[in-house]
Amino acid sequence: MSYSDSDSSSQAADYKNFRQITRERLLYEMLRSAKTGSSKSTWKVLIMDKLTVKIMSYACKMADITQEGVSLVEDIFRRRQPLPSMDAIYFIQPTKENVIMFLSDMSGKSPLYKKAFVFFSSPVSKELVGHIKKDSSVLPRIGALREVYIAEKSHFLMNLEFFAIDSQGFITDHERALEDLFGDEETSRKGDACLNVMASRIATVFASLREFPTVRYRAAKSLDASTMTTMRDLIPTKLAAGIWNCLAKHKQSIENFPQTETCELLILDRSIDQIAPIIHEWTYDAMCHDLLNMDGNKYVHVIPSKSGGQPEKKDVLLEEHDPIWLELRHAHIADASERLHDKMTNFLSKNKAAQLQHGKREGSEFSTRDLQKMVQALPQYSEQIDKLSLHVEIARKINNLIREQGLRELGQLEQDLVFGDAGMKDVIKYLSTQEEASREGKLRLLMILATIYPEKFEGEKGQNLMKLAKLPSDDMSAVNNMRLLGSAVDAKKNTPGGFTLKFDLHKKKRAVRKERQEEAAWQLSRFYPMVEVHFELIEKLGKGELPKEDYPCMNDPSPSFHGSTSLSSSASSNQGQAAQSMRSRRTPTWAKPRGSDDGYSSDSVLRHASSDFRKMGQRIFVFIVGGATRSELKVCHKLTTKLKREVILGSTSLDDPPQFITKLKLLSANELSIDDLQI
């Protein structure tokens, strides 16, 4: 489905979630705006660089782009065939290299394209604008840029340099953030450069949404004269200052940008929770990405051949356009499996032909070949069966892996450690008796142990534990490097979020999570990431219930240690007034089971996702430097309903445990490269 111009206006008052706003900006503000004058019905070429290709692919499908008149997508740095009869749309970063390539395409007597519409992903320097102005042969061939950038206006500045990975999540594509900011040998120049780019990209989120946030950040742990403050301690402080500088410019340069606060932003870093990225998370989404060796969101579905030959392989995307995925992704794997079985049983009960073809008693497990036979028996229902059988097969595979790898016992021990119900003796017993446990499983267990009992890994103690686990020496670097993320547990202090460590003097056990009041519906679902606590802290911060020295605010005009107050004074906080975003009001977007149309057009689910919900209050943004987890993304959807405010999570990357562990090894292993990551 797509919007016509009339559709867009009629839907203007409807809710648009974070990802949909991103999609519509790219399709309508950029691609559709190039349909001007005589070129309105002409097919165009879309030219992008490495970053903007990712930005586009996370938000749009190729069918969406084609529908807006794009017949060909090209890489700006690859050799391209001249198409002098066609117009080109450039969506590129404002770098010197990109501008040089653009000028090379469009200059001289024989340009590659008839006319160029140029859109930059972030603000353009005066130097680059001047470089474009110098080439007199290019200026007449520029569609958008000539009237806009040459006149030094900003209408065709997209201000969109983030990846919308979820309806309530984005990343800035800083895969090396851990290495650059938390590395063993601190290099402030590299770290500052990383934070500057990060700040610029985060600011484009607020530019795109027309939101002006109250910028809060987690203060450095020690700011007294007796203790040295490290670069790692100041990461949230420096990033907050960088974002604030960008926002101050946006207020002056972007039309209709809010002048008073419309939302909340809290900046944290990975040190708030070292356990969340490595513990086994038991939701359907997390299990898929943890156990199935997926390539991003792409899953390879193996289907038996209809003719009895070699099985067929089909790439499928586990994303929000799939209504079954949308319903089950945050469910516990046991719950997801039960619901899938019920769905298939209900389908069979209504279709006698499928029952006869299936030929099994109710309650029996469906094999891939059984499902294939059902498709053949009921061709009129093939699309429904295909969608359902995909998830039945995935759940079956996950449950088999859980049994084969003994993950229930391991997962129980992990959570018992976190909640203080197990200790060192329990880990030693597990390592001594479970020799068949996987290398990765044992490593993740020891990393959790090192976070809770860091003193047990001092000197030879750690080496002895690694020998007991029969792990190689390079795995020890992942355990040792946990310390570089900061000590999340200190027996003399409180844990993040104000939870005091629980000690049992007789059993010598510790707890780094406080049991929640709500009862877990499923075994192994007790664990929750600390970011959930920080989201809730924002509510307390707004009510003045927490000391500002722990979570200072950049918008606060009063002097503070983070630096000059000149920018802060120009936009003092206006939290007593319910300022609104310049875009549409928010409502929650996490899905309940609901009907859908074909489910495959990229806006078919998104357009109707929030029609059942009432309007929300101001958005809450939390940004985590150093990578976010799927459990933390799940929290956004959960707390949107709980807090009655749309919650959006941002991070430098979205990491599953294998990727996070590899990144930890990079912190002190120079022989490894980020290219080793299998993402």
Side-chain angles (χ1 to χ4, degrees):
M1 299 176 67
S2 66
Y3 291 113
S4 65
D5 291 337
S6 60
D7 288 331
S8 296
S9 60
S10 66
Q11 295 287 337
D14 285 357
Y15 162 77
K16 294 181 177 65
N17 66 39
F18 172 78
R19 197 177 203 175
Q20 190 174 8
I21 289 173
T22 305
R23 173 183 177 272
E24 293 191 3
R25 289 204 66 221
L26 291 168
L27 294 180
Y28 308 147
E29 292 184 26
M30 185 174 74
L31 300 186
R32 186 172 293 183
S33 68
K35 295 181 180 180
T36 59
S38 60
S39 64
K40 188 172 183 179
S41 61
T42 305
W43 287 97
K44 293 179 173 60
V45 182
L46 175 60
I47 300 165
M48 297 180 283
D49 58 35
K50 185 177 180 180
L51 179 78
T52 54
V53 163
K54 288 184 178 181
I55 293 170
M56 181 69 76
S57 64
Y58 272 99
C60 307
K61 288 190 165 191
M62 191 62 206
D64 301 324
I65 298 170
T66 302
Q67 197 158 7
E68 293 303 323
V70 173
S71 61
L72 184 64
V73 177
E74 297 271 27
D75 184 334
I76 192 170
F77 286 106
R78 292 196 174 182
R79 186 174 180 179
R80 284 163 277 128
Q81 177 184 357
L83 297 168
S85 63
M86 296 182 68
D87 293 341
I89 301 172
Y90 286 80
F91 179 36
I92 55 177
Q93 292 177 274
T95 65
K96 185 175 181 181
E97 294 79 6
N98 281 345
V99 169
I100 290 173
M101 290 300 298
F102 160 68
L103 292 175
S104 174
D105 290 349
M106 299 304 298
S107 63
K109 295 182 179 180
S110 303
L112 291 185
Y113 311 106
K114 181 180 179 181
K115 184 182 287 188
F117 296 83
V118 187
F119 299 84
F120 288 113
S121 58
S122 59
V124 190
S125 67
K126 291 183 179 180
E127 179 185 359
L128 288 179
V129 173
H131 195 51
I132 296 172
K133 284 182 177 181
K134 290 179 182 178
D135 197 324
S136 58
S137 66
V138 172
L139 294 181
R141 297 166 182 158
I142 299 177
L145 187 64
R146 181 177 61 181
E147 297 84 12
V148 179
Y149 275 114
I150 303 307
E152 298 184 5
K153 296 181 181 178
S154 60
H155 296 76
F156 283 80
L157 171 60
M158 288 305 294
N159 257 325
L160 205 163
E161 246 180 37
F162 56 88
F163 302 166
I165 59 172
D166 185 86
S167 60
Q168 292 175 227
F170 70 93
I171 59 174
T172 59
D173 194 36
H174 285 90
E175 293 289 348
R176 303 186 66 148
L178 275 180
E179 184 181 0
D180 291 346
L181 298 169
F182 294 88
D184 205 1
E185 296 182 5
E186 294 182 10
T187 54
S188 58
R189 188 192 309 178
K190 184 165 65 173
D192 287 343
C194 176
L195 288 173
N196 286 338
V197 176
M198 199 182 300
S200 175
R201 291 184 180 176
I202 294 169
T204 69
V205 172
F206 298 102
S208 289
L209 300 180
R210 296 294 194 272
E211 294 268 25
F212 177 42
T214 299
V215 183
R216 303 185 189 277
Y217 56 95
R218 186 168 179 252
K221 288 174 288 187
S222 56
L223 291 173
D224 55 84
S226 62
T227 308
M228 178 179 294
T229 302
T230 67
M231 166 69 181
R232 289 191 287 268
D233 293 329
L234 293 172
I235 288 171
T237 309
K238 289 190 171 186
L239 182 58
I243 293 172
W244 182 252
N245 288 336
C246 294
L247 290 173
K249 295 176 183 176
H250 289 339
K251 288 181 68 177
Q252 302 299 321
S253 61
I254 296 179
E255 186 177 359
N256 295 327
F257 194 80
Q259 298 300 300
T260 56
E261 290 78 357
T262 63
C263 62
E264 299 267 6
L265 167 65
L266 177 61
I267 300 167
L268 308 168
D269 64 67
R270 195 61 268 169
S271 68
I272 65 161
D273 190 350
Q274 301 171 47
I275 294 176
I278 52 179
I279 195 170
H280 283 87
E281 171 67 23
W282 291 81
T283 63
Y284 185 43
D285 182 6
M287 280 281 163
C288 285
H289 288 86
D290 196 354
L291 301 181
L292 299 183
N293 298 316
M294 292 174 57
D295 180 10
N297 289 335
K298 184 173 71 175
Y299 172 73
V300 179
H301 186 32
V302 180
I303 307 171
S305 172
K306 296 179 181 179
S307 59
Q310 290 294 321
E312 302 173 10
K313 292 184 178 181
K314 180 181 178 182
D315 291 343
V316 293
L317 293 177
L318 301 182
E319 291 184 338
E320 291 173 327
H321 67 267
D322 179 346
I324 297 178
W325 174 257
L326 202 60
E327 176 187 341
L328 298 179
R329 58 179 175 171
H330 296 145
H332 188 283
I333 181 61
D335 183 27
S337 299
E338 284 191 4
R339 286 156 72 176
L340 283 168
H341 187 274
D342 289 344
K343 287 176 182 290
M344 184 61 80
T345 301
N346 290 336
F347 179 84
L348 288 172
S349 67
K350 297 175 182 178
N351 296 278
K352 292 184 178 180
Q355 291 179 27
L356 294 172
Q357 191 68 40
H358 187 229
K360 291 192 175 184
R361 293 188 306 274
E362 184 177 349
S364 59
E365 187 172 300
F366 301 101
S367 70
T368 305
R369 187 165 296 280
D370 292 331
L371 298 169
Q372 181 66 21
K373 289 180 179 179
M374 289 168 58
V375 174
Q376 296 173 11
L378 298 167
Q380 69 272 32
Y381 298 117
S382 61
E383 187 175 353
Q384 295 178 37
I385 298 175
D386 281 343
K387 291 179 182 179
L388 190 53
S389 63
L390 165 67
H391 292 283
V392 170
E393 173 65 16
I394 290 175
R396 183 192 64 81
K397 186 178 292 186
I398 289 173
N399 284 310
N400 286 342
L401 290 171
I402 290 172
R403 286 192 294 268
E404 292 168 6
Q405 299 179 18
L407 292 184
R408 286 192 179 91
E409 185 175 358
L410 175 60
Q412 187 66 57
L413 179 54
E414 290 175 345
Q415 298 209 16
D416 286 347
L417 278 172
V418 169
F419 288 97
D421 299 324
M424 277 293 301
K425 289 184 179 179
D426 301 283
V427 174
I428 291 173
K429 180 181 178 181
Y430 178 86
L431 295 175
S432 302
T433 59
Q434 301 293 327
E435 295 186 0
E436 73 282 0
S438 69
R439 169 185 169 184
E440 183 186 299
K442 291 185 289 187
L443 175 59
R444 287 162 69 169
L445 179 63
L446 287 183
M447 292 171 74
I448 294 171
L449 186 69
T451 303
I452 302 171
Y453 297 89
E455 74 280 0
K456 301 297 183 181
F457 287 81
E458 295 173 356
E460 293 184 1
K461 297 178 183 177
Q463 294 291 344
N464 291 335
L465 281 170
M466 298 298 285
K467 288 179 182 178
L468 179 62
K470 298 180 180 179
L471 295 178
S473 58
D474 64 318
D475 283 348
M476 192 66 192
S477 64
V479 177
N480 289 335
N481 287 343
M482 296 289 282
R483 63 183 171 80
L484 298 175
L485 299 183
S487 180
V489 177
D490 189 330
K492 298 179 182 179
K493 298 180 181 179
N494 290 342
T495 56
F499 291 156
T500 303
L501 287 173
K502 179 179 72 176
F503 291 92
D504 186 322
L505 297 179
H506 300 288
K507 297 182 179 180
K508 296 182 179 179
K509 295 177 182 178
R510 304 173 186 173
V512 291
R513 289 293 189 280
K514 184 179 180 180
E515 292 279 3
R516 309 306 293 265
Q517 291 182 350
E518 58 264 29
E519 183 179 349
W522 293 91
Q523 188 183 24
L524 303 176
S525 61
R526 288 189 296 163
F527 180 80
Y528 59 91
M530 287 304 301
V531 73
E532 183 169 342
V533 180
H534 283 86
F535 275 121
E536 293 169 343
L537 288 180
I538 294 179
E539 292 286 291
K540 296 182 179 180
L541 281 165
K543 299 174 184 177
E545 296 177 3
L546 288 176
K548 286 188 176 181
E549 57 266 23
D550 292 335
Y551 297 90
C553 179
M554 290 297 301
N555 309 48
D556 189 348
S558 61
S560 60
F561 65 84
H562 57 64
S564 170
T565 61
S566 59
L567 287 175
S568 305
S569 300
S570 66
S572 59
S573 178
N574 188 24
Q575 296 181 39
Q577 177 180 348
Q580 298 299 320
S581 165
M582 299 306 291
R583 295 197 183 270
S584 60
R585 290 276 295 171
R586 276 80 60 196
T587 57
T589 62
W590 69 300
K592 290 183 177 180
R594 59 168 58 86
S596 173
D597 41 35
D598 65 1
Y600 282 98
S601 57
S602 66
D603 63 341
S604 63
V605 175
L606 295 177
R607 286 187 66 183
H608 307 291
S610 60
S611 59
D612 300 335
F613 296 100
R614 59 188 176 188
K615 294 179 179 179
M616 295 284 102
Q618 295 183 348
R619 282 187 174 108
I620 297 174
F621 293 81
V622 171
F623 189 87
I624 303 176
V625 181
T629 70
R630 296 184 190 278
S631 63
E632 289 163 339
L633 191 56
K634 179 188 70 174
V635 165
C636 297
H637 296 270
K638 172 185 174 182
L639 291 185
T640 291
T641 297
K642 182 177 180 180
L643 302 180
K644 306 302 180 186
R645 300 171 67 180
E646 187 181 18
V647 176
I648 295 175
L649 176 68
S651 187
T652 47
S653 58
L654 181 65
D655 296 326
D656 297 305
Q659 288 80 37
F660 184 79
I661 291 170
T662 303
K663 290 179 180 182
L664 271 182
K665 293 180 181 181
L666 285 172
L667 299 189
S668 59
N670 295 328
E671 68 273 12
L672 287 176
S673 165
I674 198 71
D675 295 331
D676 296 330
L677 299 180
Q678 300 299 316
I679 299 178

